PDB file of all heavy atoms in Angstrom:
ATOM      1  N   TYR S 130      99.362 107.028 106.710  1.00 98.00           N
ATOM      2  CA  TYR S 130      99.915 105.825 105.964  1.00 98.00           C
ATOM      3  C   TYR S 130     100.681 106.221 104.798  1.00 98.00           C
ATOM      4  O   TYR S 130     100.123 106.934 103.915  1.00 98.00           O
ATOM      5  CB  TYR S 130      98.699 104.828 105.726  1.00 98.00           C
ATOM      6  CG  TYR S 130      99.306 103.454 105.133  1.00 98.00           C
ATOM      7  CD1 TYR S 130     100.554 102.824 105.548  1.00 98.00           C
ATOM      8  CD2 TYR S 130      98.558 102.866 104.113  1.00 98.00           C
ATOM      9  CE1 TYR S 130     100.957 101.683 105.002  1.00 98.00           C
ATOM     10  CE2 TYR S 130      98.949 101.530 103.631  1.00 98.00           C
ATOM     11  CZ  TYR S 130     100.178 101.042 104.031  1.00 98.00           C
ATOM     12  OH  TYR S 130     100.517  99.817 103.588  1.00 98.00           O
ATOM     13  N   ILE S 131     101.927 105.801 104.619  1.00 98.00           N
ATOM     14  CA  ILE S 131     102.674 106.178 103.512  1.00 98.00           C
ATOM     15  C   ILE S 131     103.141 104.916 102.767  1.00 98.00           C
ATOM     16  O   ILE S 131     103.770 104.018 103.444  1.00 98.00           O
ATOM     17  CB  ILE S 131     103.964 106.951 103.936  1.00 98.00           C
ATOM     18  CG1 ILE S 131     103.580 108.347 104.517  1.00 98.00           C
ATOM     19  CG2 ILE S 131     104.870 107.204 102.729  1.00 98.00           C
ATOM     20  CD1 ILE S 131     104.684 109.217 105.097  1.00 98.00           C
ATOM     21  N   ILE S 132     102.785 104.769 101.512  1.00 98.00           N
ATOM     22  CA  ILE S 132     103.217 103.562 100.644  1.00 98.00           C
ATOM     23  C   ILE S 132     104.217 104.153  99.687  1.00 98.00           C
ATOM     24  O   ILE S 132     103.949 105.063  98.863  1.00 98.00           O
ATOM     25  CB  ILE S 132     101.913 103.125  99.865  1.00 98.00           C
ATOM     26  CG1 ILE S 132     100.824 102.581 100.869  1.00 98.00           C
ATOM     27  CG2 ILE S 132     102.279 101.957  98.950  1.00 98.00           C
ATOM     28  CD1 ILE S 132      99.679 102.202 100.225  1.00 98.00           C
ATOM     29  N   ASN S 133     105.434 103.550  99.780  1.00 98.00           N
ATOM     30  CA  ASN S 133     106.436 103.985  98.867  1.00 98.00           C
ATOM     31  C   ASN S 133     106.702 102.858  97.854  1.00 98.00           C
ATOM     32  O   ASN S 133     106.944 101.741  98.138  1.00 98.00           O
ATOM     33  CB  ASN S 133     107.799 104.262  99.664  1.00 98.00           C
ATOM     34  CG  ASN S 133     107.720 105.408 100.488  1.00 98.00           C
ATOM     35  OD1 ASN S 133     107.051 106.422 100.182  1.00 98.00           O
ATOM     36  ND2 ASN S 133     108.376 105.391 101.652  1.00 98.00           N
ATOM     37  N   ILE S 134     106.442 103.202  96.515  1.00 97.00           N
ATOM     38  CA  ILE S 134     106.663 102.174  95.549  1.00 97.00           C
ATOM     39  C   ILE S 134     108.098 102.038  95.157  1.00 97.00           C
ATOM     40  O   ILE S 134     108.723 103.002  94.560  1.00 97.00           O
ATOM     41  CB  ILE S 134     105.822 102.514  94.355  1.00 97.00           C
ATOM     42  CG1 ILE S 134     104.352 102.851  94.644  1.00 97.00           C
ATOM     43  CG2 ILE S 134     105.984 101.509  93.221  1.00 97.00           C
ATOM     44  CD1 ILE S 134     103.632 101.660  95.221  1.00 97.00           C
ATOM     45  N   SER S 135     108.718 101.006  95.523  1.00 97.00           N
ATOM     46  CA  SER S 135     110.027 100.641  95.062  1.00 97.00           C
ATOM     47  C   SER S 135     109.968  99.800  93.871  1.00 97.00           C
ATOM     48  O   SER S 135     109.242 100.088  92.869  1.00 97.00           O
ATOM     49  CB  SER S 135     110.773  99.907  96.350  1.00 97.00           C
ATOM     50  OG  SER S 135     112.158  99.518  95.899  1.00 97.00           O
ATOM     51  N   SER S 136     110.515  98.570  93.867  1.00 95.00           N
ATOM     52  CA  SER S 136     110.624  97.692  92.709  1.00 95.00           C
ATOM     53  C   SER S 136     111.268  96.424  93.277  1.00 95.00           C
ATOM     54  O   SER S 136     112.139  96.466  94.269  1.00 95.00           O
ATOM     55  CB  SER S 136     111.379  98.330  91.494  1.00 95.00           C
ATOM     56  OG  SER S 136     111.803  97.298  90.578  1.00 95.00           O
ATOM     57  N   ILE S 137     111.024  95.319  92.524  1.00 95.00           N
ATOM     58  CA  ILE S 137     111.857  94.077  92.884  1.00 95.00           C
ATOM     59  C   ILE S 137     113.284  94.371  92.749  1.00 95.00           C
ATOM     60  O   ILE S 137     114.197  93.777  93.341  1.00 95.00           O
ATOM     61  CB  ILE S 137     111.318  92.802  92.163  1.00 95.00           C
ATOM     62  CG1 ILE S 137     112.071  91.622  92.655  1.00 95.00           C
ATOM     63  CG2 ILE S 137     111.592  93.023  90.607  1.00 95.00           C
ATOM     64  CD1 ILE S 137     111.890  91.420  94.128  1.00 95.00           C
ATOM     65  N   ALA S 138     113.595  95.338  91.875  1.00 95.00           N
ATOM     66  CA  ALA S 138     115.026  95.788  91.662  1.00 95.00           C
ATOM     67  C   ALA S 138     115.567  96.629  92.795  1.00 95.00           C
ATOM     68  O   ALA S 138     116.643  96.961  92.815  1.00 95.00           O
ATOM     69  CB  ALA S 138     115.141  96.658  90.389  1.00 95.00           C
ATOM     70  N   GLY S 139     114.593  96.831  93.830  1.00 97.00           N
ATOM     71  CA  GLY S 139     115.050  97.494  95.009  1.00 97.00           C
ATOM     72  C   GLY S 139     115.296  96.553  96.154  1.00 97.00           C
ATOM     73  O   GLY S 139     115.618  96.819  97.276  1.00 97.00           O
ATOM     74  N   PHE S 140     115.216  95.270  95.787  1.00 97.00           N
ATOM     75  CA  PHE S 140     115.500  94.081  96.697  1.00 97.00           C
ATOM     76  C   PHE S 140     116.623  93.247  96.102  1.00 97.00           C
ATOM     77  O   PHE S 140     117.423  92.598  96.917  1.00 97.00           O
ATOM     78  CB  PHE S 140     114.216  93.374  97.129  1.00 97.00           C
ATOM     79  CG  PHE S 140     114.469  92.376  98.171  1.00 97.00           C
ATOM     80  CD1 PHE S 140     114.566  92.631  99.480  1.00 97.00           C
ATOM     81  CD2 PHE S 140     114.551  90.937  97.740  1.00 97.00           C
ATOM     82  CE1 PHE S 140     114.736  91.658 100.443  1.00 97.00           C
ATOM     83  CE2 PHE S 140     114.666  89.948  98.730  1.00 97.00           C
ATOM     84  CZ  PHE S 140     114.780  90.395 100.150  1.00 97.00           C
ATOM     85  N   LEU S 141     116.608  93.165  94.812  1.00 95.00           N
ATOM     86  CA  LEU S 141     117.492  92.232  94.023  1.00 95.00           C
ATOM     87  C   LEU S 141     118.252  93.074  93.094  1.00 95.00           C
ATOM     88  O   LEU S 141     117.603  93.699  92.252  1.00 95.00           O
ATOM     89  CB  LEU S 141     116.701  91.148  93.455  1.00 95.00           C
ATOM     90  CG  LEU S 141     117.434  90.149  92.637  1.00 95.00           C
ATOM     91  CD1 LEU S 141     118.254  89.188  93.453  1.00 95.00           C
ATOM     92  CD2 LEU S 141     116.400  89.176  91.810  1.00 95.00           C
ATOM     93  N   GLY S 142     119.563  93.026  93.234  1.00 95.00           N
ATOM     94  CA  GLY S 142     120.402  93.892  92.378  1.00 95.00           C
ATOM     95  C   GLY S 142     121.036  93.282  91.121  1.00 95.00           C
ATOM     96  O   GLY S 142     121.896  93.943  90.397  1.00 95.00           O
ATOM     97  N   GLY S 143     120.636  91.965  90.910  1.00 90.00           N
ATOM     98  CA  GLY S 143     121.367  91.238  89.909  1.00 90.00           C
ATOM     99  C   GLY S 143     120.857  91.473  88.433  1.00 90.00           C
ATOM    100  O   GLY S 143     120.636  90.476  87.736  1.00 90.00           O
ATOM    101  N   PHE S 144     120.636  92.685  88.027  1.00 92.00           N
ATOM    102  CA  PHE S 144     120.202  93.014  86.670  1.00 92.00           C
ATOM    103  C   PHE S 144     121.276  93.834  85.964  1.00 92.00           C
ATOM    104  O   PHE S 144     121.464  95.099  86.269  1.00 92.00           O
ATOM    105  CB  PHE S 144     118.892  93.811  86.799  1.00 92.00           C
ATOM    106  CG  PHE S 144     117.746  93.167  87.465  1.00 92.00           C
ATOM    107  CD1 PHE S 144     117.505  93.418  88.848  1.00 92.00           C
ATOM    108  CD2 PHE S 144     116.919  92.148  86.810  1.00 92.00           C
ATOM    109  CE1 PHE S 144     116.372  92.824  89.484  1.00 92.00           C
ATOM    110  CE2 PHE S 144     115.940  91.550  87.402  1.00 92.00           C
ATOM    111  CZ  PHE S 144     115.623  91.875  88.816  1.00 92.00           C
ATOM    112  N   PRO S 145     122.032  93.219  85.120  1.00 94.00           N
ATOM    113  CA  PRO S 145     123.056  93.997  84.360  1.00 94.00           C
ATOM    114  C   PRO S 145     122.541  95.245  83.659  1.00 94.00           C
ATOM    115  O   PRO S 145     121.572  95.141  82.954  1.00 94.00           O
ATOM    116  CB  PRO S 145     123.605  92.995  83.375  1.00 94.00           C
ATOM    117  CG  PRO S 145     123.242  91.685  83.876  1.00 94.00           C
ATOM    118  CD  PRO S 145     121.913  91.868  84.658  1.00 94.00           C
ATOM    119  N   GLY S 146     123.153  96.379  84.011  1.00 95.00           N
ATOM    120  CA  GLY S 146     122.659  97.593  83.315  1.00 95.00           C
ATOM    121  C   GLY S 146     121.642  98.359  84.091  1.00 95.00           C
ATOM    122  O   GLY S 146     121.032  99.295  83.666  1.00 95.00           O
TER     123      GLY S 146
END
Side-chain angles (χ1 to χ4, degrees):
Y130 183 35
I131 295 175
I132 300 174
N133 292 324
I134 306 298
S135 177
S136 163
I137 188 56
F140 185 77
L141 178 68
F144 300 97

